[in-house]
Amino acid sequence: MQFHTLRIARVIRETPDASSFVFEIPEAQAELFRYRAGQFLTFRIRRRLRALLRCYSLSSSPEAGDAPMVTVKRVAGGRVSNWLNDRLAEGDHIAALPPAGRFTLREPADEPLLFFAGGSGITPILSLIKTALWRGGRRLRLFYANRDADSVIFRAQLEALARAHAEFEVIHHLDSSGGVATPGQLAAAAAGFESAHAYLCGPAPFMELAEAVLAAAGFDSGRIFIERFVSPPDGQAPAVALRAEGVACNLAIRLGGTLHRVTCQPGQSILQAAREAGLSPPAACEEGFCGSCAARRLRGEIRLNANDVFSEDDLAAGWTLTCQGYPETPDCEISYDETND
């Protein structure tokens, strides 16, 4: 995977604990860093001779004409989130992978949109909201939970958007005054949006609650989209604990318009086999969460250890996560050169 150097054009202090970083994209890299609302960037930070990889969502909207921007909230003990907030300034540079991620708006483009965000989970959701409003033709409702009033990221932007667009409604919830959000409150927020596409991002307990509430309300799982991130282990090639499985496979890999033939040994993921053969396929979290390593299965059978990205329909269409994929037949072919929109 090839990292590219981006310049910080502007730093915006959103709350005492969160900052937005606006990037200057060189003209030569404009196409490479073209992104869709809801996607993220993966950054490489070198600390004490180690490389730390972290994924942060783009809070900007390409359709609205925003410059690419990520928003980072401090995490207790977070080596990267705190470093970025304390050290990164206008004019500094940072290493980043091109945009990735599937937490994006789906068709049809006229169905309502329901958003549940908790804390910094508002970051990709703001991008989706601004893009949907720019395109027009959809009703939108956001339920946004935070610890207290000082923790609300993008409050002014959200309120301005709600004033300017009658089709957009914001429901704020503060734990400090109302306690932790309840199933009943989330169910009330979903009422009237039963035909909507629902997007969830925030702390794991909050998203689990929202997902359960939506399921109880009759939402089809194929209409619920969830963004989860985990911090990968330290190092340039994060390791994942794996048990021996799969079969020896003659693996064909299409990457960058070239067909490569590699050997994948039992117990070796497709991503590991590709790297061992000297290839540099895309990857970020390596835990089955982010979708950066996605590829299309063209031939053979592949089993996934973990998958928090693809639906059953996606899997049936051949999509797989190479960080979690193990060949189950001795002859397989995959392609990184396709997109899954």
Side-chain angles (χ1 to χ4, degrees), residues 326-340:
Y326 295 81
E328 290 197 317
T329 53
D331 183 63
C332 292
E333 181 178 352
I334 66 160
S335 174
Y336 286 101
D337 294 342
E338 300 189 37
T339 59
N340 179 26

Side-chain angles (χ1 to χ4, degrees), residues 32-193:
L32 189 64
F33 279 86
R34 192 178 305 279
Y35 68 99
R36 299 172 62 192
Q39 291 191 307
F40 61 86
L41 297 178
T42 300
F43 299 101
R44 182 180 64 201
I45 308 297
R46 296 195 180 277
R47 300 289 307 280
R48 298 185 179 92
L49 302 180
R50 289 185 174 183
L52 304 179
L53 303 183
R54 294 295 186 269
C55 303
Y56 292 109
S57 295
L58 287 147
S59 50
S60 49
S61 165
E63 285 84 351
D66 299 340
M69 178 178 80
V70 302
T71 303
V72 181
K73 183 177 180 180
R74 293 180 182 274
V75 176
R79 288 163 294 176
V80 175
S81 64
N82 288 296
W83 185 89
L84 292 173
N85 273 278
D86 290 337
R87 300 287 298 276
L88 209 58
E90 180 178 336
D92 287 344
H93 294 80
I94 191 168
L97 289 176
R102 302 182 64 257
F103 192 64
T104 55
L105 295 175
R106 280 12 183 231
E107 298 293 338
D110 59 350
E111 294 197 356
L113 293 170
L114 177 64
F115 302 97
F116 287 99
S120 60
I122 190 64
T123 302
I125 284 179
L126 176 65
S127 179
L128 296 175
I129 288 170
K130 292 174 70 175
T131 295
L133 291 174
W134 183 88
R135 294 176 180 175
R138 307 178 86 156
R139 288 194 304 131
L140 295 82
R141 179 179 292 166
L142 165 66
F143 183 95
Y144 186 19
N146 280 281
R147 182 179 64 250
D148 51 41
D150 290 338
S151 303
V152 182
I153 306 173
F154 307 131
R155 177 189 284 276
Q157 283 195 60
L158 290 168
E159 292 179 354
L161 289 170
R163 288 193 300 269
H165 300 273
E167 68 274 25
F168 175 45
E169 176 186 2
V170 181
I171 302 171
H172 285 288
H173 177 89
L174 301 179
D175 295 351
S176 59
S177 57
V180 176
T182 66
Q185 290 170 325
L186 270 63
F193 275 72

Side-chain angles (χ1 to χ4, degrees), residues 251-268:
L251 179 62
I253 298 177
R254 297 184 181 274
L255 176 64
T258 301
L259 179 64
H260 307 270
R261 299 191 183 277
V262 307
T263 299
C264 188
Q265 301 293 343
Q268 192 174 44

